[in-house]
Amino acid sequence: MERESFLRDRLIPIGTVIVAIVAIWYVAVIFLNAPFERDTAARNGETITFAEIVPKTMAQERPVLPAPHQVAAELWDTTVNKAVTSKRSLVYHAWVTLSATLLGFAMGTVLGILLAIGIVHNRAMDRSLMPWVIASQTIPILAIAPMIIVVLNAIGLSGLLPKALISTYLSFFPVVVGMVKGLRSPEQIQLDLMHTYNASSAQTFWKLRWPSSMPYLFTSLKVAVAISLVGAIVGELPTGAVAGLGARLLAGSYYGQTVQIWAALFMAAGVAALLVVIVGLAHSAVLRRMGARA
């Protein structure tokens, strides 16, 4: 019964969507890459039919849109066939980006939680700081990242920390918003009950507000860890970095290697998905530890 439910509710719908996306992708490959083949045939004084165009669009060296099998082959070649220490390995580049991501995510999480605690417990911070927290996210990260990198390089800070700070800038916001909502989630009757117990503010926080905020915290962390990866990638672009997924994207853009660009994008998506899954598993473990029913 559970197996049938899994097939009906999970596997079949997800599989159908994936097949549809791949089919649309292949159709787009034909139409976007076909003009190059027609132009090539015209320059050579040849006449080319649609049946001859289709296979050629699937095997171009620098296509406008690479085919799924080209991206898959590039991913296999740069992850399995290359040593993880090689500068051509996507595993190596993913680790360089992941290190900045995790550091920025950790700093953003701590900063977000501390700000949320202050906002919840201090009315002045709530009225003065919260609007600035929201306003900070209206500045495009592509505009502010080069400034952060240049300023930090001017004072002698380079390498991992500048990229991590950009990840921190992006990841602290969902944590602040989620934790403010979570710490305020206990109902007034629950707060009144703690008051009748003569509980201090610290006791109310640890025994009521903090446990009540866990679902909000981990939901925010799923968003924060994914956006932290985006911040690390963006942080690699203005530095002219030679390692990292951002550097891989930049090199592919310089030399028109669209297959390399798409492979790096899929690698970044896979890393982000893995990080979200890890946060989800941690969420389930914490809820079980707190006595939640499966």
Side-chain angles (χ1 to χ4, degrees), residues 152-174:
L152 291 179
N153 281 337
I155 62 175
L157 292 177
S158 60
L160 181 65
L161 187 58
K163 294 188 295 182
L165 288 177
I166 296 173
S167 295
T168 301
Y169 175 80
L170 289 177
S171 62
F172 89 98
F173 176 73

Side-chain angles (χ1 to χ4, degrees), residues 12-263:
I12 293 177
I14 294 174
T16 302
V17 171
I18 292 175
V19 169
I21 291 174
V22 172
I24 294 171
W25 188 349
Y26 270 113
V27 172
V29 166
I30 295 172
F31 285 98
L32 290 176
N33 296 338
F36 174 79
E37 297 300 334
R38 292 193 184 98
D39 292 342
T40 302
R43 286 194 299 268
N44 296 333
E46 301 173 351
T47 301
I48 189 169
T49 64
F50 182 76
E52 294 173 326
I53 287 177
V54 171
K56 291 179 180 294
T57 60
M58 302 290 175
Q60 291 181 1
E61 183 179 353
R62 296 181 179 179
V64 174
L65 177 64
H69 64 270
Q70 290 180 295
V71 177
E74 177 70 12
L75 278 170
W76 179 267
D77 181 57
T78 53
T79 55
V80 178
N81 295 337
K82 297 288 189 300
V84 294
T85 56
S86 170
K87 298 295 179 65
R88 299 182 62 187
S89 171
L90 273 181
V91 177
Y92 168 79
H93 291 286
W95 169 247
V96 172
T97 301
L98 183 62
S99 59
T101 298
L102 295 178
L103 179 58
F105 173 65
M107 293 191 298
T109 300
V110 173
L111 177 62
I113 291 174
L114 292 178
L115 289 176
I117 293 172
I119 290 171
V120 169
H121 287 88
N122 189 295
R123 184 172 298 180
M125 287 188 65
D126 184 19
R127 294 184 176 182
S128 62
L129 186 60
M130 194 61 180
W132 284 104
V133 170
I134 296 172
S136 70
Q137 301 303 303
T138 63
I139 305 173
I141 189 60
L142 288 175
I144 198 173
M147 292 186 289
I148 295 175
I149 297 295
V150 170
V151 170
L152 291 179
N153 281 337
I155 62 175
L157 292 177
S158 60
L160 181 65
L161 187 58
K163 294 188 295 182
L165 288 177
I166 296 173
S167 295
T168 301
Y169 175 80
L170 289 177
S171 62
F172 89 98
F173 176 73
V175 178
V176 171
V177 175
M179 283 300 289
V180 167
K181 181 69 174 176
L183 293 173
R184 288 175 173 168
S185 63
E187 298 178 3
Q188 187 60 45
I189 192 172
Q190 295 172 315
L191 296 171
D192 291 341
L193 180 62
M194 295 297 292
H195 183 68
T196 61
Y197 292 160
N198 195 30
S200 64
S201 296
Q203 289 173 324
T204 301
F205 175 81
W206 290 112
K207 296 182 182 298
L208 179 60
R209 291 189 184 275
W210 181 256
S212 299
S213 68
M214 285 298 99
Y216 298 87
L217 172 61
F218 281 98
T219 301
S220 301
L221 291 181
K222 290 178 182 179
V223 178
V225 74
I227 203 171
S228 180
L229 178 65
V230 174
I233 292 174
V234 170
E236 291 168 349
L237 299 180
T239 62
V242 295
L245 294 176
R248 191 76 172 171
L249 291 171
L250 201 60
S253 177
Y254 282 157
Y255 301 107
Q257 298 291 342
T258 52
V259 178
Q260 176 181 313
I261 293 173
W262 278 76

